[in-house]
Amino acid sequence: MEQRYFIVDIARCWGCRACQVACKYEHGIPAGGGKPVEVIRVERQDTSGQAACDFLPVACQHCREPACMACPRGAIARDGEGLVQLDQEKCVACGLCVSACPYGALHRYPGEAGQRVWKCDLCVRRRGMGLPASCEQHCLGGVFTSCTQAEMERITGERKYRWSAGRVVYVSDFVASLGKGLG
């Protein structure tokens, strides 16, 4: 199976949060059930000293070395595409994965017995039907791109700045989006 990547072009995000709504709807996540994708507002001063803000969509990074794999039941593992997936059948809702994730990307369903855990799976079911991830399809700014490794290397090679902790790759043509930490 071909390895998958997910590109997030932070320069294109204007904070509409359509990705958050689309993901919650797609996965049937109830109100108060956390945000599978959280769009973070980053306030800063631009180069002329004027107040400005950027938006940064954050979800599961599908990390190279996933801390969430601390699951004692083996409910979290890589799939054939190299993505970090959660097997709901093996999950006992102990919460070790939730507390281990440095990105706050794992959540518990509210009000459910056992507080079942969930995370971004890059819409594996939708992609199996030939559809894009829900956040990718519904993003008005075209922020998200699901692609193969070769496509990711071509797209990110054209960009000035790039950062990733795993299969999610953040790109931008201007460093002001995340300050000096991107590159």
Side-chain angles (χ1 to χ4, degrees), residues 61-95:
Q61 300 296 299
H62 297 272
C63 298
R64 283 183 282 282
E65 297 179 27
C68 63
M69 284 189 181
C71 176
R73 299 290 299 244
I76 300 177
R78 285 204 189 278
D79 66 11
E81 295 178 306
L83 301 174
V84 178
Q85 301 294 359
L86 171 65
D87 182 341
Q88 291 291 337
E89 299 298 315
K90 292 181 181 178
C91 180
V92 294
C94 68

Side-chain angles (χ1 to χ4, degrees), residues 89-125:
E89 299 298 315
K90 292 181 181 178
C91 180
V92 294
C94 68
L96 286 175
C97 60
V98 174
S99 59
C101 177
Y103 300 102
L106 286 96
H107 305 274
R108 294 174 186 249
Y109 277 99
E112 238 185 57
Q115 294 283 303
R116 187 169 57 111
V117 175
W118 55 269
K119 64 177 275 317
C120 168
D121 62 2
L122 284 179
C123 290
V124 68
R125 185 186 61 80

Side-chain angles (χ1 to χ4, degrees), residues 2-183:
E2 197 156 20
Q3 300 295 291
R4 300 301 302 171
Y5 288 82
F6 202 63
I7 297 172
V8 180
D9 186 343
I10 58 175
R12 300 186 72 146
C13 182
W14 62 74
C16 72
R17 294 178 171 80
C19 55
Q20 288 180 188
V21 174
C23 186
K24 285 184 91 156
Y25 180 79
E26 179 68 31
H27 292 93
I29 299 166
K35 299 171 188 146
V37 178
E38 184 168 3
V39 179
I40 298 170
R41 180 184 171 120
V42 180
E43 296 182 11
R44 62 177 175 83
Q45 286 186 343
D46 67 15
T47 55
S48 66
Q50 297 294 312
C53 74
D54 295 308
F55 297 94
L56 180 64
V58 179
C60 176
Q61 300 296 299
H62 297 272
C63 298
R64 283 183 282 282
E65 297 179 27
C68 63
M69 284 189 181
C71 176
R73 299 290 299 244
I76 300 177
R78 285 204 189 278
D79 66 11
E81 295 178 306
L83 301 174
V84 178
Q85 301 294 359
L86 171 65
D87 182 341
Q88 291 291 337
E89 299 298 315
K90 292 181 181 178
C91 180
V92 294
C94 68
L96 286 175
C97 60
V98 174
S99 59
C101 177
Y103 300 102
L106 286 96
H107 305 274
R108 294 174 186 249
Y109 277 99
E112 238 185 57
Q115 294 283 303
R116 187 169 57 111
V117 175
W118 55 269
K119 64 177 275 317
C120 168
D121 62 2
L122 284 179
C123 290
V124 68
R125 185 186 61 80
R126 286 177 58 92
R127 289 184 300 103
M129 297 184 300
L131 298 170
S134 189
C135 60
E136 181 178 2
Q137 178 179 343
H138 296 286
C139 176
L140 302 172
V143 172
F144 307 102
T145 305
S146 178
C147 59
T148 64
Q149 183 172 355
E151 293 166 328
M152 181 273 298
E153 289 172 358
R154 180 187 56 78
I155 293 167
T156 62
E158 299 168 357
R159 307 307 294 273
K160 191 170 184 181
Y161 301 100
R162 165 183 162 170
W163 178 88
S164 80
R167 298 302 172 121
V168 177
V169 182
Y170 291 87
V171 297
S172 179
D173 286 330
F174 58 94
V175 76
S177 291
L178 287 180
K180 304 277 188 226
L182 187 67

